[in-house]
mmCIF file of all heavy atoms in Angstrom:
data_model
loop_
_atom_site.group_PDB
_atom_site.id
_atom_site.type_symbol
_atom_site.label_atom_id
_atom_site.label_comp_id
_atom_site.label_asym_id
_atom_site.label_seq_id
_atom_site.Cartn_x
_atom_site.Cartn_y
_atom_site.Cartn_z
ATOM 1 N N ILE A 106 -13.126 21.863 -16.733
ATOM 2 C CA ILE A 106 -13.421 20.472 -16.403
ATOM 3 C C ILE A 106 -13.040 19.574 -17.576
ATOM 4 O O ILE A 106 -12.991 20.021 -18.720
ATOM 5 C CB ILE A 106 -14.906 20.269 -16.030
ATOM 6 C CG1 ILE A 106 -15.818 20.639 -17.203
ATOM 7 C CG2 ILE A 106 -15.269 21.076 -14.787
ATOM 8 C CD1 ILE A 106 -17.289 20.325 -16.965
ATOM 9 N N TYR A 108 -14.560 16.279 -18.022
ATOM 10 C CA TYR A 108 -15.642 15.383 -18.414
ATOM 11 C C TYR A 108 -16.995 15.996 -18.034
ATOM 12 O O TYR A 108 -17.097 16.794 -17.091
ATOM 13 C CB TYR A 108 -15.480 14.022 -17.730
ATOM 14 C CG TYR A 108 -14.101 13.437 -17.880
ATOM 15 C CD1 TYR A 108 -13.242 13.350 -16.781
ATOM 16 C CD2 TYR A 108 -13.635 12.988 -19.108
ATOM 17 C CE1 TYR A 108 -11.965 12.824 -16.910
ATOM 18 C CE2 TYR A 108 -12.371 12.459 -19.252
ATOM 19 C CZ TYR A 108 -11.532 12.377 -18.142
ATOM 20 O OH TYR A 108 -10.268 11.865 -18.283
ATOM 21 N N ARG A 109 -18.034 15.602 -18.743
ATOM 22 C CA ARG A 109 -19.373 16.130 -18.498
ATOM 23 C C ARG A 109 -19.814 15.914 -17.057
ATOM 24 O O ARG A 109 -20.469 16.766 -16.462
ATOM 25 C CB ARG A 109 -20.381 15.467 -19.440
ATOM 26 C CG ARG A 109 -20.195 15.803 -20.907
ATOM 27 C CD ARG A 109 -21.191 15.036 -21.761
ATOM 28 N NE ARG A 109 -20.961 15.205 -23.183
ATOM 29 C CZ ARG A 109 -21.511 16.159 -23.921
ATOM 30 N NH1 ARG A 109 -22.329 17.024 -23.357
ATOM 31 N NH2 ARG A 109 -21.247 16.253 -25.218
ATOM 32 N N GLN A 110 -19.470 14.745 -16.494
ATOM 33 C CA GLN A 110 -19.936 14.413 -15.149
ATOM 34 C C GLN A 110 -19.220 15.197 -14.062
ATOM 35 O O GLN A 110 -19.519 15.025 -12.880
ATOM 36 C CB GLN A 110 -19.802 12.910 -14.889
ATOM 37 C CG GLN A 110 -18.389 12.364 -14.932
ATOM 38 C CD GLN A 110 -17.988 11.859 -16.306
ATOM 39 O OE1 GLN A 110 -18.488 12.351 -17.314
ATOM 40 N NE2 GLN A 110 -17.115 10.856 -16.344
ATOM 41 N N GLU A 111 -18.303 16.072 -14.447
ATOM 42 C CA GLU A 111 -17.601 16.882 -13.458
ATOM 43 C C GLU A 111 -18.317 18.204 -13.171
ATOM 44 O O GLU A 111 -17.757 19.094 -12.557
ATOM 45 C CB GLU A 111 -16.162 17.152 -13.910
ATOM 46 C CG GLU A 111 -15.299 15.905 -13.909
ATOM 47 C CD GLU A 111 -13.850 16.182 -14.268
ATOM 48 O OE1 GLU A 111 -13.561 17.258 -14.849
ATOM 49 O OE2 GLU A 111 -13.005 15.322 -13.974
ATOM 50 N N LYS A 112 -19.583 18.298 -13.589
ATOM 51 C CA LYS A 112 -20.380 19.487 -13.293
ATOM 52 C C LYS A 112 -21.832 19.111 -13.062
ATOM 53 O O LYS A 112 -22.387 18.278 -13.787
ATOM 54 C CB LYS A 112 -20.294 20.507 -14.444
ATOM 55 C CG LYS A 112 -21.068 21.783 -14.178
ATOM 56 C CD LYS A 112 -20.959 22.773 -15.339
ATOM 57 C CE LYS A 112 -21.742 24.041 -15.035
ATOM 58 N NZ LYS A 112 -21.681 25.021 -16.144
ATOM 59 N N VAL A 113 -22.437 19.741 -12.054
ATOM 60 C CA VAL A 113 -23.879 19.619 -11.826
ATOM 61 C C VAL A 113 -24.453 21.023 -11.706
ATOM 62 O O VAL A 113 -23.815 21.931 -11.163
ATOM 63 C CB VAL A 113 -24.213 18.796 -10.564
ATOM 64 C CG1 VAL A 113 -23.764 17.354 -10.721
ATOM 65 C CG2 VAL A 113 -23.573 19.413 -9.327
ATOM 66 N N TRP A 119 -21.760 21.119 -23.569
ATOM 67 C CA TRP A 119 -20.354 20.709 -23.727
ATOM 68 C C TRP A 119 -19.766 21.444 -24.924
ATOM 69 O O TRP A 119 -20.307 21.378 -26.023
ATOM 70 C CB TRP A 119 -20.250 19.205 -23.923
ATOM 71 C CG TRP A 119 -18.843 18.685 -23.832
ATOM 72 C CD1 TRP A 119 -18.056 18.285 -24.862
ATOM 73 C CD2 TRP A 119 -18.071 18.544 -22.657
ATOM 74 N NE1 TRP A 119 -16.829 17.890 -24.391
ATOM 75 C CE2 TRP A 119 -16.804 18.031 -23.032
ATOM 76 C CE3 TRP A 119 -18.314 18.789 -21.305
ATOM 77 C CZ2 TRP A 119 -15.798 17.765 -22.116
ATOM 78 C CZ3 TRP A 119 -17.313 18.519 -20.385
ATOM 79 C CH2 TRP A 119 -16.073 18.016 -20.791
ATOM 80 N N GLN A 144 -15.706 14.891 -4.726
ATOM 81 C CA GLN A 144 -15.701 14.756 -6.177
ATOM 82 C C GLN A 144 -15.780 16.121 -6.849
ATOM 83 O O GLN A 144 -15.095 16.394 -7.836
ATOM 84 C CB GLN A 144 -16.876 13.883 -6.634
ATOM 85 C CG GLN A 144 -17.089 13.827 -8.135
ATOM 86 C CD GLN A 144 -15.919 13.198 -8.893
ATOM 87 O OE1 GLN A 144 -15.202 12.367 -8.342
ATOM 88 N NE2 GLN A 144 -15.715 13.613 -10.136
ATOM 89 N N PHE A 145 -16.634 17.001 -6.304
ATOM 90 C CA PHE A 145 -16.752 18.356 -6.821
ATOM 91 C C PHE A 145 -15.954 19.285 -5.912
ATOM 92 O O PHE A 145 -16.175 19.327 -4.709
ATOM 93 C CB PHE A 145 -18.217 18.775 -6.894
ATOM 94 C CG PHE A 145 -19.050 17.888 -7.775
ATOM 95 C CD1 PHE A 145 -19.945 16.990 -7.226
ATOM 96 C CD2 PHE A 145 -18.910 17.934 -9.153
ATOM 97 C CE1 PHE A 145 -20.705 16.157 -8.037
ATOM 98 C CE2 PHE A 145 -19.655 17.103 -9.973
ATOM 99 C CZ PHE A 145 -20.562 16.215 -9.421
#
Side-chain angles (χ1 to χ4, degrees):
I106 61 174
Y108 310 110
R109 293 177 186 270
Q110 62 268 29
E111 292 184 342
K112 182 180 180 181
V113 295
W119 191 255
Q144 172 63 28
F145 301 106

